[in-house]
Amino acid sequence: MKKILLPASALALFTLALPAMAFSPAGENIAYSVNDEDFQGYFISAGDNTKGSVLIVHDWDGLDDYERQRADMLADEGYDVFAVDLYGKGNRPQAVEDKRAATNRLYQDRERMRALTLGGLAQAREQGAAGQTVIMGYCFGGAVALEIARSGEADNIAAYTSFHGGLTTPDGQSYSSETAPIFIAHGGADTAVSLEDVATLAEELETAGVTYEVGIYSGAPHAFSVFGSDAYHERADQRSWAAFNTWLDEML
C-alpha cells in the first residue's frame, strides 16, 4: 500500500496534517551481510545518552521510508535504532503477489527468518547500538518479533512488541516463562488478525507466565499505523505510539 511520510518531529507531537512534507532520513543506510547474502538496513543513534536500543522489523513490502521514519522518531525519544532488512539488498516488492511471496518464503523457513533477524541484531550492535534491546515489528514484522520471542535465541532483550502483527503460534512452538515482556497493539476492526487470535495469544502468555500488555483500538483496521494509507487510523496510531513509548520507558 502507498505510504505518505511526515517529519518525525511533527509526528512525535501528533500533528499529522496532510498533505505530507518530504521525509529526509536523519540516519544512514547500512550495508551488511548474513551468511554471505547482502542486506541493507538503516541505523540512527540517539547519541551519548541513549536509553537503550530498538530493532525494527519491517512489514511485508520490505524496509522503506516508513520504518526509517519510525526509527527517527524513536531516536528523537532517546533510543538507538536499527531497522533490519529480511529480504535482501534491493528486494523491495511492490506487487501484492510479490509481497506475499517474500513473506511466505520466510514463514515457511522459520530458521532462516530467525537467522536473518539475529544477523540484523548483531549488525545493530556492531554499529554501536546499546546492548539492551526491544525487538518490535509491523504486520509481518510483528510476527517476526514474536517468532524471536518464542525462540529465546536473542540475548539482552528487554521486551518484544507487535503492531498489528500476526499472532498465531506455529505448531511445535511455545512461549517459556523466560520470555521477555510482550506488548501487542491491535486494531479492533482488524479482519486479517482476529480478536480471537488476540485472546488465544493472551491465554498462551498467561499459561507460560509471560508478562504482557495488549492495546486494542476501536475502529482500527489492519495496518492502522501506516501513514497516509487507506488503513491509517489516526486515533489508534497516536494512542498506540504513546503506549509504546511508555512501554519503552519502563523496559529500557
Side-chain angles (χ1 to χ4, degrees):
M1 59 184 67
K2 185 177 179 181
K3 299 174 180 177
I4 298 176
L5 286 305
L6 299 171
S9 58
L11 282 162
L13 295 172
F14 299 150
T15 55
L16 298 170
L18 295 177
M21 297 174 63
F23 167 63
S24 179
E28 58 181 328
N29 294 323
I30 302 295
Y32 67 101
S33 63
V34 179
N35 297 329
D36 297 323
E37 293 184 61
D38 293 330
F39 297 87
Q40 187 174 68
Y42 176 79
F43 179 68
I44 182 167
S45 173
D48 294 338
N49 297 318
T50 180
K51 302 174 185 177
S53 68
V54 179
L55 188 79
I56 297 178
V57 188
H58 56 75
D59 59 14
W60 74 337
D61 54 2
L63 171 57
D64 62 15
D65 272 353
Y66 176 69
E67 288 81 19
R68 293 186 185 95
Q69 184 159 357
R70 290 291 184 182
D72 285 8
M73 292 167 67
L74 288 169
D76 286 344
E77 297 295 329
Y79 304 99
D80 299 328
V81 188
F82 189 84
V84 66
D85 172 18
L86 298 189
Y87 287 174
K89 186 177 180 179
N91 183 12
R92 302 295 183 263
Q94 300 299 311
V96 169
E97 57 268 27
D98 293 333
K99 296 175 186 179
R100 185 173 292 113
T103 57
N104 283 343
R105 180 188 181 193
L106 292 172
Y107 280 132
Q108 293 167 10
D109 188 348
R110 300 272 174 164
E111 183 176 356
R112 175 178 172 81
M113 177 192 285
R114 295 191 298 272
L116 295 183
T117 306
L118 295 175
L121 179 61
Q123 182 59 215
R125 291 168 177 167
E126 186 173 322
Q127 292 299 319
Q132 195 71 358
T133 305
V134 169
I135 297 180
M136 61 92 75
Y138 294 95
C139 295
F140 162 72
V144 174
L146 296 183
E147 175 74 20
I148 301 301
R150 289 187 297 268
S151 76
E153 294 176 9
D155 60 359
N156 294 325
I157 303 302
Y160 300 92
T161 297
S162 168
F163 279 86
H164 40 76
L167 305 179
T168 303
T169 300
D171 291 341
Q173 292 191 18
S174 61
Y175 295 91
S176 80
S177 61
E178 302 301 315
T179 303
I182 294 173
F183 173 65
I184 303 295
H186 184 78
D190 192 332
T191 57
V193 182
S194 70
L195 289 172
E196 288 78 10
D197 291 336
V198 179
T200 297
L201 175 61
E203 290 175 0
E204 290 178 33
L205 297 177
E206 282 287 346
T207 299
V210 178
T211 298
Y212 68 95
E213 292 184 16
V214 178
I216 299 177
Y217 303 95
S218 62
H222 191 65
F224 65 77
S225 74
V226 180
F227 310 134
S229 70
D230 292 341
Y232 183 71
H233 192 288
E234 183 175 344
R235 177 180 178 277
D237 178 34
Q238 292 179 356
R239 289 180 176 269
S240 62
W241 189 251
F244 177 52
N245 275 275
T246 297
W247 178 259
L248 288 176
D249 285 341
E250 294 174 354
M251 296 295 122
L252 292 172

